[in-house]
Amino acid sequence: MEDPDSGSVRPTVNDPEGLLKRSRELLDLFWEISKPERDTRLRAADKLLQILKNSGQTDELQYVVKRLVNGLSHGREHARTGYSATLAQVLSMFEELSLKSTLEQIKEKHDLQAVNKKQIRNVAFGNFFGVLALSQSTRLHKEPEVLLECIKLLQTLAQYKDHLRELPRKTMVDILSETSEDVFEEVLLNALQTDLTSALSSPEQLELLLVAMQKFPSVIKPAKLKKLLGTASIICKHTLPRLVEVLKTAARSVKKESILPSVALDLLQVSLREDSFEVFWKEAVISGLLSDTPGPCHYLAFRLLGAALPLLSLSQLQFVLSGEVMKRYGEHVVSAQLPERFKFSPEMDVYVSSFLQSCRDPDKQLAVILAFTRLTHQGSPAVPSFWKVVEHMEPMALKQYVGWLKEAFCQPQLENCLEFSTRKQRGGPDATVQNETCVFRFRKWIIPRLISIVENHQIKKDEELVMDISRFIFFQAFFETKKATSVIPETRLSLSDPLDQNTRSVTTFAFYSLLQYLSVLPVLGDCAESETASKRRVLGVMADGSIMLESVETLMKKMKKSPAPEHTAFQHLLLIVGIQIFKAPEDSVELLKDLQSCMEKAQAKKSKKKKKQTESEQEPHWVEVVVEILLSLLSQPSRLIRSVCKTAFGRICPHLTQPALSAILNVLDPSNDEEESGLVVMDEKEGERTKQKQAAEEDEEEEDAEKEEGEDEEESDTDDDDDGDDDEAMEEEQEEVDQNFRLELMKVLQGQNVLATEEDGSDDEEMDDEAMMKLDENLATLFGEQKKKLQAKKDEKERLRKEKTLVRDFKIKVLDLVEVFLSKQGNSTLVLQMVEPLLSVIEKGMSSESGQQEADFLRRAADIFRNQLCRGKQYCREVEGREAELHEMMERLIGRAQKMQDSSVSLYYFSAALYVLKVLRGAMKESDSTQTPAAEVMKMGKADVERVTLCFKDALTSFMTRRKSPLTGDMFIDLFNKFPVVCVNLLDTAVENITAGVREHQQGQACVMVLRALQSKEVKELIPPSQLTELCRKTTQQLLQCLQHVECKNKAVLEKTVKALELCHFLVKTIHTQNMEVNLDPLQNVLTSMNTDESLQKSGKREDTYWSVMKLFGIQKPKVEKVKKIVEEQEAPKKKKKGFLPESKKRKNRKKPQVLEGKEAAGATETAAVEGGVEGGKKKKRKKNKKRKMSVGDEVQPQPPAKMAKIQSSQSKKKQKKKKNVGGETNAE
């Protein structure tokens, strides 16, 4: 017989049929069906259906249905959904399951009458999801009786709106839409009689009626409808007021969802079927929905407008799109520009886009697009100039639309537009706007719209349309029609209002933007001829302008014979200057002459060039003239010109001379900012830019004015605050002229005898009206002059700021030329002249406070210097005769690096010095078979090794001895990696500073330098074995001194210790591997002494590095016993005692703390303390004061209650204590 105390043994269970396993699997599936993850629920439902299908047992099927019905009232939403969907699938798959019995089971389990108030929500949801499962089983229409019961149950559930909201009514609509006409007429019509009669009471009931009318028109005829509603049609004067209320209710119900209620769309379709659309739109939408305050009702009107577009005829579209709804939509677009406002325009874009995709009628498409284009606010259309929906227009409609835009630009008939104004404007002084302003805003919108049509590659268009738009913008930017001619189609459209200078400027810059896109645009079309033309015309559509100048044609012929890069450069420049001739004829003609002269000089033969040089040595080289032309072109704000200049400069880079490069670098020189900043940008360009800025400012002011339309009182308070800030700024500006202004004010007041004096005593005298008026005039004049002075100072300050911005933008463009030159001609000797100018730019930018634009300029300059110059694959290799100059430059750069205040700037100077040293060394040639690798590494080219070593040794000493040095250890590590010869010469200095460094940081960096040097393969090849052994011996001695008496007081000491230990690890490993004669015992003793206090027993970077070093000496890290084992040893004897419960009861009966005496008291105290600690560890929820009492035991006991003291005697207490102690010992045994 088996001993029961030996342990419990689970009995073996026989399950030959696998019933228990399958039951366990079913239970797990029910858990997964109720999980929040949708995919998990679907997988569990599929698996459950598969199990039921394979088993074929009726009992199991009934059990599953019961469990699913029970889960319909689950407290979690995801669980209810999962159980309902699974029940629907089960009912659909197993038709032997009766829907009637399932519905009765649902009603019985989720009885609405027998449930309490707390569970009414879950029970209501249980009934609803049960009906939903029956309807989704696709069997409900086959059993009319069950269908009728479901409808009645849904009608009952509709009363619980607080919980179910409108779900029952919507489910009724869904069931109704899937029911046959016979079943509806015979079974459901009488049941739904109440709902259909009260259809005008709620959106759900009205939708039920509309669905029934649409689904069963032969059942609900006008006569039947008249019995239900009292009218034969839905849309009539009798029903419109109630329909408006239903629509408003529906609009508020979908406020959060932002969707179109289905009842509204059904009403719209009913109005179209009943030929009462205009009545519905005027009375229900305009007079009804729009009469409400801006909000959900207005948004419903907008959604009805968007949804109605595919359903309306052309005349109906024109009626809707020219009415009050469009005006209100325009007001919303203007007011919604403020931040944190709801914006309906993206939703309207979706409606219009879907309409254009579904409707292929060009007339309807054009009508819709024109309607939104004519919706204007002070002349500017409400839709953006770049409107993505245009890409869905048919080519014919698009062509007509472009023609309308061109005609509207020339002859803007604003009276035909649907002009709207905001509520604030209608009641304010800005109600009327000048016609010139409206025309300017309208034209300014049309030009970007035309350009967007060209630049949007999704729009279906041909090359003829693109060229038509380009010619139109080109003509309007640079020409005026004096007389119409058939040769130029653009002259046929005469301007009703002449173009002002702002419009001309906007059109000009728009044309340059368009030309930038056309320069890379391939020939449009799908045929093979278009593909071959695209391959042939490399320059894109812009090549059509090759007939502008004869020089370009000549160049093209010469390029075919002998192509040269400078030919392409001159071709681009001639084209771009040829375009400029329409803008600035005089300057452009001079530039064309200069370019033609340069082109002739560049094409001349070398012999002729030599003769010309002897004749006229003072003439500048043609490259210098071209560079000056490029700089003048870059001063203009045009992406096209910037791109052309960058491309042209890349073609003439090989011919660049020193004066030409100096002209570029002089622009970037920071010392010329104060003296020549005004000379960088030409006067005419400044005038053009000023006009552009003025136009931009006017646009911003207009946009701000539009945004202010929707502002409230809070925004006016913000304006007041801004005015206050301006006043404060004006007060600061007044400080300098305060005295003069005071004197003038005193004169005015004294002239009118306003200031009272002690002699005349005129405090109480009053001035007459005439004197008061005169005083007011004088004060107004004085303050007006003062305000003009302050405004003039403010304008001057703004002018200087704009000028500085233009100069900085110009310098950013000039950096393009520098980058192109470094990438194309990185091996040129001229690159050496760019080192120090670029460094001065970086140093000036780092030291000055800069805004975003100057930060971008600095970042760009630093990136070019670091990546294109210092790290470039190509570098100058011809230094013959310039060795002394380069050595001086290197020493100068190292000296500047040591004098910098910022390490980041010093890094650039140090990198430049390494670049100069790389130039001096030259290219590393492939070594011969007879030449050793060490001899190849020793080669330093034209560099003076002693001079270079002395220069960098001084820098290294400065870094190690100065407390605040801008140099860093990474700089010297980079030097060691790139130039091993210099590294070998500086290695002794680095070793000495392991202990001689002025601070712990320098000492740690010295360790890192020595470690990286010893790890370098090239350095090892350069050092003889004997010298390497001596170096290891010196390093060991330095580490002995460095690691003695180390106390990690701060982070610097800790980092130094870690780096020293890393060096120790590599050094000891190297000595052991190569069997060097170096005594490591002192080092081992020092390392052992570091752990005398066992402070290195923990885990960490310092500790791990230390023990990796000690492992090389054969000393392993001692294993520390886990604390968990000690706790188990302490708890082992405690678990045997189980007599603590009676001990806790003794505290209630204690009366005096001196009851226990002698050894018994002490023993009891110890026992209570031990047991209290064990029990306290097990029961964490017990209060702290109880734990404290249990741990103290009987020595500190609270006084028992008075009632217990009276009942119990001292003798009974002693007996109870003895019994409890005996019981505790027995239990412990």
Side-chain angles (χ1 to χ4, degrees):
M1 187 174 181
E2 194 171 337
D3 187 7
D5 295 337
S6 62
S8 59
V9 179
R10 296 182 63 182
T12 58
V13 179
N14 295 325
D15 187 21
E17 298 181 0
L19 296 177
L20 294 176
K21 182 179 180 181
R22 188 159 61 251
S23 300
R24 181 72 251 178
E25 190 175 2
L26 287 175
L27 291 176
D28 293 339
L29 289 177
F30 287 126
W31 277 103
E32 293 182 2
I33 289 173
S34 62
K35 286 186 177 180
E37 296 80 10
R38 181 174 179 272
D39 295 337
T40 304
R41 296 199 303 267
L42 293 177
R43 286 195 299 268
D46 293 340
K47 193 171 183 180
L48 178 63
L49 292 174
Q50 191 65 29
I51 292 174
L52 294 176
K53 186 176 181 180
N54 295 335
S55 65
Q57 296 182 6
T58 307
D59 297 340
E60 194 173 57
L61 183 61
Q62 294 294 336
Y63 169 74
V64 169
V65 172
K66 182 179 180 182
R67 284 294 303 268
L68 293 175
V69 169
N70 294 343
L72 294 175
S73 62
H74 202 284
R76 290 188 288 109
E77 178 182 357
H78 299 293
R80 295 194 296 262
T81 306
Y83 283 119
S84 177
T86 307
L87 179 60
Q89 295 184 35
V90 170
L91 294 175
S92 177
M93 179 175 288
F94 302 97
E95 295 186 359
E96 60 268 20
L97 291 173
S98 173
L99 295 184
K100 185 175 182 181
S101 61
T102 305
L103 180 60
E104 292 177 355
Q105 191 174 353
I106 292 172
K107 291 181 178 180
E108 182 180 357
K109 178 62 181 177
H110 310 291
D111 191 359
L112 293 170
Q113 304 298 329
V115 73
N116 55 16
K117 292 183 180 180
K118 293 183 179 180
Q119 298 294 328
I120 190 64
R121 173 183 172 82
N122 293 338
V123 172
F125 270 110
N127 284 275
F128 169 72
F129 278 104
V131 176
L132 189 63
L134 294 176
S135 65
Q136 291 177 351
S137 66
T138 66
R139 294 173 50 193
L140 195 58
H141 63 280
K142 299 178 182 178
E143 300 184 19
E145 296 180 0
V146 181
L147 177 62
L148 181 60
E149 293 296 326
C150 289
I151 293 295
K152 291 181 179 179
L153 182 57
L154 288 175
Q155 290 176 337
T156 305
L157 294 175
Q159 302 174 5
Y160 300 93
K161 288 188 176 182
D162 296 338
H163 307 297
L164 302 177
R165 296 184 180 179
E166 309 302 335
L167 292 176
R169 299 289 184 185
K170 293 180 179 180
T171 306
M172 291 170 62
V173 173
D174 295 338
I175 294 175
L176 198 64
S177 60
E178 298 176 358
T179 306
S180 62
E181 183 174 347
D182 297 336
V183 174
F184 174 76
E185 185 176 6
E186 297 175 1
V187 179
L188 298 183
L189 185 59
N190 295 329
L192 296 174
Q193 188 76 20
T194 305
D195 293 319
L196 296 178
T197 305
S198 57
L200 301 179
S201 302
S202 67
E204 293 74 21
Q205 292 173 329
L206 177 60
E207 185 178 4
L208 188 66
L209 175 62
L210 296 178
V211 170
M213 291 176 60
Q214 183 179 3
K215 183 72 176 176
F216 316 111
S218 60
V219 177
I220 303 184
K221 298 179 181 179
K224 182 67 176 179
L225 187 63
K226 189 171 184 179
K227 292 181 180 179
L228 295 173
L229 301 180
T231 177
S233 60
I234 298 294
I235 309 296
C236 63
K237 295 182 179 180
H238 174 69
T239 59
L240 277 174
R242 301 181 66 182
L243 289 177
V244 170
E245 296 300 324
V246 170
L247 288 175
K248 289 183 178 181
T249 304
R252 298 185 184 100
S253 65
V254 296
K255 180 179 180 181
K256 295 182 180 180
E257 291 81 2
S258 298
I259 58 175
L260 175 65
S262 55
V263 63
L265 182 61
D266 293 340
L267 271 179
L268 179 65
Q269 294 173 346
V270 168
S271 65
L272 292 172
R273 289 198 301 267
E274 294 180 354
D275 293 334
S276 57
F277 172 74
E278 293 188 4
V279 176
F280 169 75
W281 195 259
K282 290 180 181 179
E283 300 297 332
V285 179
I286 297 178
S287 302
L289 294 177
L290 295 184
S291 63
D292 204 353
T293 57
C297 294
H298 283 218
Y299 302 148
L300 177 56
F302 302 155
R303 292 187 180 99
L304 282 173
L305 172 65
L309 295 178
L311 307 175
L312 304 181
S313 62
L314 183 60
S315 59
Q316 290 174 337
L317 282 174
Q318 295 173 351
F319 165 73
V320 169
L321 296 174
S322 61
E324 190 67 22
V325 179
M326 285 289 288
K327 288 186 177 181
R328 296 296 179 89
Y329 173 70
E331 294 180 24
H332 164 76
V333 171
V334 173
S335 61
Q337 293 179 0
L338 294 171
E340 299 180 358
R341 291 282 184 93
F342 173 73
K343 296 176 176 56
F344 189 82
S345 54
E347 196 172 339
M348 182 61 75
D349 292 348
V350 174
Y351 281 117
V352 178
S353 179
S354 61
F355 162 74
L356 294 176
Q357 290 178 359
S358 60
C359 178
R360 313 315 299 177
D361 186 358
D363 295 336
K364 290 186 178 181
Q365 287 187 349
L366 183 63
V368 172
I369 295 297
L370 286 181
F372 280 95
T373 303
R374 291 193 181 109
L375 182 63
T376 59
H377 174 242
Q378 296 180 356
S380 179
V383 295
S385 56
F386 182 83
W387 205 18
K388 193 173 177 60
V389 302
V390 181
E391 64 189 31
H392 303 296
M393 293 183 66
E394 290 292 320
M396 185 179 297
L398 180 64
K399 190 174 182 179
Q400 295 176 0
Y401 181 54
V402 170
W404 184 89
L405 289 174
K406 291 162 55 180
E407 184 178 358
F409 182 87
C410 298
Q411 300 175 358
Q413 299 177 359
L414 297 179
E415 62 275 5
N416 296 334
C417 294
L418 190 62
E419 180 71 19
F420 67 90
S421 58
T422 61
R423 291 178 298 170
K424 188 175 181 180
Q425 285 179 338
R426 288 193 291 269
D430 299 334
T432 58
V433 183
Q434 295 182 357
N435 185 53
E436 293 79 4
T437 304
C438 295
V439 170
F440 167 71
R441 286 164 59 89
F442 191 51
R443 285 174 170 172
K444 189 188 68 173
W445 182 91
I446 289 177
I447 294 299
R449 169 54 64 88
L450 290 172
I451 292 179
S452 68
I453 293 175
V454 176
E455 293 183 351
N456 190 352
H457 62 278
Q458 298 290 340
I459 297 179
K460 300 176 183 178
K461 53 186 178 295
D462 53 6
E463 189 173 353
E464 182 182 357
L465 182 63
V466 172
M467 292 307 301
D468 185 25
I469 295 175
S470 303
R471 287 171 58 92
F472 176 78
I473 298 177
F474 174 68
F475 183 84
Q476 299 301 333
F478 301 110
F479 299 98
E480 294 181 0
T481 302
K482 299 296 183 180
K483 183 179 179 182
T485 175
S486 59
V487 180
I488 304 176
E490 286 76 17
T491 59
R492 299 174 184 174
L493 295 174
S494 59
L495 296 176
S496 59
D497 296 325
L499 298 182
D500 58 351
Q501 193 60 36
N502 291 332
T503 306
R504 185 83 67 179
S505 178
V506 169
T507 310
T508 302
F509 288 108
F511 174 72
Y512 288 143
S513 175
L514 176 62
L515 204 58
Q516 169 70 16
Y517 178 77
L518 292 179
S519 63
V520 295
L521 179 67
V523 178
L524 301 176
D526 300 330
C527 59
E529 297 179 359
S530 300
E531 294 180 0
T532 56
S534 299
K535 296 178 181 178
R536 183 178 68 252
R537 294 164 54 178
V538 182
L539 296 177
V541 182
M542 196 184 70
D544 291 334
S546 59
I547 60 174
M548 295 173 61
L549 297 170
E550 295 180 358
S551 301
V552 177
E553 186 176 358
T554 304
L555 281 172
M556 294 179 67
K557 292 179 180 179
K558 290 186 176 182
M559 285 179 63
K560 294 180 180 179
K561 297 180 180 179
S562 58
E566 58 268 18
H567 292 168
T568 306
F570 282 115
Q571 183 180 0
H572 287 182
L573 291 176
L574 288 170
L575 286 173
I576 198 66
V577 175
I579 296 172
Q580 293 288 317
I581 201 172
F582 305 104
K583 183 179 180 182
E586 297 179 359
D587 295 340
S588 300
V589 169
E590 293 180 1
L591 289 177
L592 286 175
K593 292 180 180 179
D594 294 339
L595 281 174
Q596 192 169 5
S597 176
C598 293
M599 182 180 63
E600 293 174 356
K601 292 180 180 180
Q603 294 173 358
K605 296 181 180 180
K606 295 183 178 180
S607 59
K608 294 183 179 181
K609 285 185 177 181
K610 292 180 179 179
K611 293 180 180 180
K612 290 183 179 180
Q613 287 178 358
T614 57
E615 294 176 359
S616 57
E617 295 180 355
Q618 296 181 354
E619 289 186 5
H621 195 271
W622 65 269
V623 173
E624 300 170 16
V625 179
V626 173
V627 168
E628 292 293 339
I629 294 175
L630 290 176
L631 293 176
S632 64
L633 291 174
L634 285 176
S635 63
Q636 304 181 31
S638 172
R639 291 182 300 167
L640 174 64
I641 295 177
R642 181 177 181 179
S643 176
V644 170
C645 291
K646 187 175 179 180
T647 304
F649 184 76
R651 303 300 175 94
I652 65 172
C653 273
H655 308 282
L656 201 67
T657 60
Q658 183 176 352
L661 181 62
S662 300
I664 296 174
L665 297 178
N666 288 336
V667 176
L668 301 175
D669 191 0
S671 61
N672 297 334
D673 286 350
E674 298 180 358
E675 300 177 0
E676 301 181 1
S677 61
L679 301 177
V680 175
V681 183
M682 293 182 295
D683 295 339
E684 293 185 3
K685 305 299 183 297
E686 280 187 358
E688 292 173 1
R689 292 186 178 191
T690 304
K691 293 172 184 176
Q692 184 191 16
K693 294 289 183 180
Q694 289 176 355
E697 289 174 0
E698 291 178 0
D699 300 344
E700 292 176 358
E701 291 176 358
E702 292 166 0
E703 292 176 359
D704 294 340
E706 292 177 357
K707 292 181 179 180
E708 288 176 358
E709 305 305 336
E711 294 181 352
D712 50 10
E713 295 180 356
E714 294 180 0
E715 292 165 353
S716 64
D717 296 339
T718 307
D719 295 338
D720 296 339
D721 296 339
D722 295 340
D723 295 339
D725 296 339
D726 295 339
D727 295 340
E728 291 177 1
M730 292 177 67
E731 288 176 1
E732 292 178 359
E733 295 177 353
Q734 282 180 349
E735 290 180 357
E736 299 179 359
V737 295
D738 239 358
Q739 297 298 330
N740 296 331
F741 181 64
R742 284 197 186 98
L743 292 176
E744 294 293 334
L745 183 60
M746 294 289 289
K747 290 180 182 179
V748 172
L749 296 177
Q750 289 177 357
Q752 298 295 327
N753 295 325
V754 176
L755 293 178
T757 61
E758 295 180 357
E759 297 178 357
D760 56 12
S762 57
D763 291 340
D764 299 333
E765 294 182 1
E766 295 183 357
M767 299 178 62
D768 56 0
D769 295 340
E770 184 177 355
M772 185 66 71
M773 292 293 293
K774 188 175 182 180
L775 177 62
D776 291 342
E777 293 178 359
N778 294 336
L779 289 176
T781 303
L782 179 61
F783 280 98
E785 293 177 355
Q786 179 67 13
K787 188 175 181 181
K788 289 180 180 179
K789 292 178 181 179
L790 295 176
Q791 186 63 32
K793 286 188 175 183
K794 191 174 180 181
D795 294 342
E796 179 66 17
K797 186 177 180 181
E798 182 66 18
R799 187 188 68 80
L800 293 175
R801 187 191 65 80
K802 290 181 179 180
E803 182 180 351
K804 186 177 179 180
T805 302
L806 292 175
V807 172
R808 186 64 60 193
D809 183 56
F810 174 60
K811 288 188 175 184
I812 292 175
K813 296 177 183 177
V814 174
L815 280 178
D816 291 344
L817 306 184
V818 176
E819 185 179 13
V820 170
F821 182 74
L822 289 175
S823 61
K824 299 283 187 180
Q825 298 292 321
N827 55 357
S828 174
T829 56
L830 296 176
V831 175
L832 297 173
Q833 297 182 8
M834 306 176 68
V835 175
E836 291 180 304
L838 287 177
L839 286 173
S840 63
V841 171
I842 295 173
E843 181 181 356
K844 180 68 175 178
M846 289 283 193
S847 60
S848 62
E849 296 181 1
S850 59
Q852 181 62 34
Q853 190 185 28
E854 295 193 5
D856 295 339
F857 172 69
L858 174 61
R859 190 182 302 109
R860 182 78 186 284
D863 180 71
I864 292 173
F865 180 82
R866 180 175 60 251
N867 297 325
Q868 300 292 337
L869 182 63
C870 296
R871 300 177 183 176
K873 295 182 180 180
Q874 299 179 357
Y875 60 93
C876 178
R877 300 178 184 181
E878 300 177 2
V879 295
E880 193 69 33
R882 304 183 62 182
E883 295 85 355
E885 178 187 351
L886 293 178
H887 280 89
E888 291 177 0
M889 180 189 294
M890 182 188 65
E891 293 172 351
R892 190 164 58 248
L893 293 172
I894 291 295
R896 288 289 297 166
Q898 299 178 52
K899 295 178 182 179
M900 291 292 108
Q901 299 293 331
D902 192 356
S903 295
S904 58
V905 183
S906 179
L907 175 61
Y908 288 103
Y909 276 94
F910 198 90
S911 301
L914 295 184
Y915 173 76
V916 175
L917 183 57
K918 181 172 70 172
V919 172
L920 284 170
R921 183 183 63 180
M924 300 291 291
K925 298 181 181 179
E926 296 182 0
S927 59
D928 299 334
S929 58
T930 59
Q931 198 173 14
T932 61
E936 180 65 25
V937 174
M938 282 291 292
K939 286 186 176 181
M940 286 294 291
K942 302 292 184 179
D944 188 350
V945 179
E946 294 182 1
R947 188 173 179 179
V948 171
T949 302
L950 181 60
C951 178
F952 283 102
K953 185 176 181 180
D954 294 340
L956 180 59
T957 305
S958 172
F959 168 62
M960 291 296 176
T961 55
R962 287 177 57 184
R963 296 186 63 85
K964 294 183 179 180
S965 175
L967 304 178
T968 61
D970 293 334
M971 298 179 186
F972 292 97
I973 293 173
D974 191 18
L975 170 67
F976 289 0
N977 293 332
K978 293 180 178 179
F979 305 98
V981 177
V982 182
C983 173
V984 173
N985 296 336
L986 297 180
L987 203 51
D988 292 336
T989 306
V991 171
E992 293 174 359
N993 285 282
I994 291 177
T995 56
V998 67
R999 292 188 307 173
E1000 288 80 4
H1001 173 69
Q1002 277 84 348
Q1003 296 174 10
Q1005 291 297 316
C1007 294
V1008 177
M1009 293 179 196
V1010 176
L1011 177 61
R1012 297 293 181 266
L1014 294 177
Q1015 290 175 343
S1016 175
K1017 181 180 178 181
E1018 292 82 2
V1019 174
K1020 289 180 180 179
E1021 293 176 354
L1022 293 175
I1023 302 177
S1026 59
Q1027 186 178 349
L1028 182 61
T1029 303
E1030 183 63 24
L1031 178 64
C1032 292
R1033 188 178 293 110
K1034 289 182 181 180
T1035 307
T1036 304
Q1037 294 297 328
Q1038 293 292 325
L1039 290 174
L1040 281 173
Q1041 300 178 22
C1042 180
L1043 295 175
Q1044 283 181 350
H1045 309 294
V1046 176
E1047 295 181 3
C1048 296
K1049 299 179 181 179
N1050 50 35
K1051 186 178 180 181
V1053 178
L1054 179 62
E1055 291 180 354
K1056 183 198 78 169
T1057 305
V1058 172
K1059 293 171 183 175
L1061 289 173
E1062 290 176 352
L1063 178 58
C1064 281
H1065 182 271
F1066 181 80
L1067 191 65
V1068 173
K1069 188 176 181 180
T1070 303
I1071 292 172
H1072 286 171
T1073 304
Q1074 300 184 9
N1075 296 324
M1076 295 182 180
E1077 296 180 359
V1078 179
N1079 187 11
L1080 296 177
D1081 294 338
L1083 181 61
Q1084 182 179 354
N1085 296 334
V1086 171
L1087 292 172
T1088 305
S1089 64
M1090 291 177 62
N1091 194 31
T1092 53
D1093 55 350
E1094 298 183 355
S1095 60
L1096 298 174
Q1097 300 293 110
K1098 302 178 181 179
S1099 61
K1101 187 175 182 180
R1102 181 185 61 148
E1103 291 77 5
D1104 296 342
T1105 310
Y1106 171 80
W1107 288 111
S1108 65
V1109 178
M1110 296 303 294
K1111 186 178 181 180
L1112 298 175
F1113 289 108
I1115 302 174
Q1116 298 289 339
K1117 183 178 180 180
K1119 294 183 179 180
V1120 181
E1121 295 182 0
K1122 295 183 179 180
V1123 181
K1124 186 176 181 180
K1125 294 183 179 179
I1126 299 174
V1127 174
E1128 290 177 356
E1129 291 176 0
Q1130 294 177 357
E1131 292 180 356
K1134 297 175 185 176
K1135 291 181 179 179
K1136 295 180 180 179
K1137 289 192 176 184
K1138 300 181 181 178
F1140 174 69
L1141 186 59
E1143 197 69 25
S1144 65
K1145 293 182 179 179
K1146 281 196 291 184
R1147 292 179 300 169
K1148 298 180 180 180
N1149 302 327
R1150 290 178 190 134
K1151 208 169 190 181
K1152 297 180 181 180
Q1154 61 269 20
V1155 173
L1156 297 177
E1157 298 177 358
K1159 296 181 180 179
E1160 294 180 359
T1165 304
E1166 292 174 1
T1167 305
V1170 173
E1171 294 172 351
V1174 176
E1175 192 67 20
K1178 293 181 179 179
K1179 299 182 179 180
K1180 296 181 179 180
K1181 295 183 180 180
R1182 203 171 274 180
K1183 295 182 179 179
K1184 292 183 179 180
N1185 57 355
K1186 290 185 179 181
K1187 291 184 179 180
R1188 198 175 295 116
K1189 292 173 185 177
M1190 288 187 293
S1191 61
V1192 173
D1194 295 340
E1195 291 180 359
V1196 182
Q1197 299 177 4
Q1199 293 293 335
K1203 186 175 181 180
M1204 296 296 294
K1206 292 180 181 179
I1207 296 174
Q1208 297 179 351
S1209 62
S1210 59
Q1211 295 178 356
S1212 61
K1213 290 178 185 177
K1214 292 180 181 179
K1215 292 180 180 180
Q1216 286 178 355
K1217 289 176 184 177
K1218 290 180 180 180
K1219 291 179 180 179
K1220 290 174 182 177
N1221 288 333
V1222 172
E1225 293 174 357
T1226 305
N1227 294 332
E1229 292 176 359

